[in-house]
Amino acid sequence: MKNKIEHIFFDLDHTLWDFDRNSLLAFKMIFEKFDVDIDINIFLKAYQPINMKYWKLYREERINKEELRRARLIEAFMCFEKNFSIGVIDDISEDYINFLPLHNYLIDGTQDLLEYLNPKYELHIITNGFEEVQNQKLLNSGIRHYFNTITNSEETGVKKPNPFIFEQAIQKSGAKFDNSIMIGDNYEADIKGAEAVGLDTICFNYHKEELPFQNIQVSELKEIKNYL
């Protein structure tokens, strides 16, 4: 693999940017501002699978951006018998989007891996996240300069695993399918999506899922150096 690869495409959330840790800190700010009397850790145990469910619906084009941002909060708060008006839910949602990139912890090994790869390869981002937030995350966390291109689902009009977003990323970067690799945490969106268009892949198994044995997978980012 090392000899032919020239371009590396990364997912951002849960792959390089520590979404869970930064989300916790954003929700702490939310709970203080709106005087929400729920233990933050208990709330997040309920919220995280709900959030993943609605992101899957969003990827599949079954809900829109506004529905995603509202529904995940409404359902999570309902677990604690908290019923906020739509106006308050929208305020919380807006604040969450604004607070999220104020916290910029990276997944362990991110900086070291990017320093290692940067002289050898052209690096790129393909993300389903909201465009304005993802750009701020990259800038505020100090890793934007590593990436030649950023391809976002909002600019392409489709989300991973749709083949079109990978095709657009390849075209935008000047790469080719046979000299590129996709690295991401989400097996459905990042890995199966990339493989469907002929890209090599490495799954950063952040979620510790049971994955097909034929897929290259790592549990820590530093292990990627063994393949690139």
Side-chain angles (χ1 to χ4, degrees):
M1 182 183 292
K2 291 183 180 182
N3 292 333
K4 68 172 184 174
I5 297 299
E6 297 178 18
H7 295 262
I8 302 175
F9 293 84
F10 279 98
D11 174 52
L12 184 57
D13 293 334
H14 296 118
T15 300
L16 302 175
W17 198 81
D18 192 342
F19 183 90
D20 289 344
R21 187 174 182 183
N22 296 320
S23 180
L24 166 65
L25 294 170
F27 270 119
K28 279 186 174 180
M29 295 175 69
I30 293 284
F31 280 24
E32 288 176 12
K33 178 175 178 178
F34 290 87
D35 196 25
V36 178
D37 186 23
I38 305 172
D39 181 284
I40 190 75
N41 293 302
I42 295 173
F43 173 81
L44 287 173
K45 283 182 181 178
Y47 172 80
Q48 285 167 352
I50 291 168
N51 186 45
M52 295 285 282
K53 177 181 76 174
Y54 281 104
W55 268 103
K56 180 175 171 59
L57 293 173
Y58 182 63
R59 285 198 307 271
E60 295 170 351
E61 310 286 349
R62 293 162 65 185
I63 60 173
N64 61 31
K65 178 178 176 179
E66 182 181 67
E67 289 168 331
L68 163 67
R69 288 168 59 164
R70 280 181 175 171
R72 62 185 179 181
L73 290 171
I74 291 170
E75 186 170 330
F77 283 125
M78 282 177 61
C79 295
F80 303 92
E81 299 182 347
K82 299 283 188 183
N83 295 302
F84 296 104
S85 69
I86 290 297
V88 172
I89 287 291
D90 285 347
D91 288 343
I92 291 174
S93 175
E94 189 66 28
D95 281 343
Y96 177 72
I97 295 300
N98 291 331
F99 292 165
L100 200 55
L102 299 180
H103 311 283
N104 286 281
Y105 287 99
L106 298 169
I107 297 287
D108 287 346
T110 292
Q111 199 80 42
D112 181 61
L113 178 64
L114 295 177
E115 282 291 329
Y116 168 79
L117 296 174
N118 191 48
K120 301 177 169 74
Y121 305 95
E122 290 195 32
L123 308 182
H124 312 275
I125 292 284
I126 309 178
T127 175
N128 281 352
F130 305 139
E131 185 171 7
E132 70 276 14
V133 186
Q134 301 304 76
N135 289 338
Q136 284 302 309
K137 289 175 183 176
L138 287 163
L139 288 168
N140 294 352
S141 63
I143 60 173
R144 174 63 184 87
H145 66 282
Y146 290 111
F147 301 102
N148 289 25
T149 65
I150 300 167
T151 303
N152 189 282
S153 60
E154 289 192 313
E155 78 180 73
T156 60
V158 299
K159 307 163 192 72
K160 296 176 291 182
N162 190 303
F164 185 69
I165 192 171
F166 295 100
E167 292 163 359
Q168 286 295 103
I170 290 290
Q171 183 178 356
K172 186 176 184 177
S173 66
K176 299 177 181 177
F177 287 102
D178 62 3
N179 70 358
S180 302
I181 190 167
M182 178 72 199
I183 300 174
D185 69 289
N186 189 293
Y187 183 69
E188 177 188 347
D190 298 317
I191 305 307
K192 290 180 71 176
E195 287 177 345
V197 296
L199 286 167
D200 285 331
T201 63
I202 296 176
C203 183
F204 172 48
N205 197 353
Y206 173 86
H207 307 282
K208 297 178 172 56
E209 298 173 298
E210 287 289 331
L211 301 177
F213 71 90
Q214 68 266 28
N215 289 101
I216 296 175
Q217 52 186 288
V218 298
S219 57
E220 297 182 47
L221 288 180
K222 65 183 179 182
E223 297 172 47
I224 291 170
K225 295 180 184 180
N226 297 331
Y227 300 97
L228 294 167

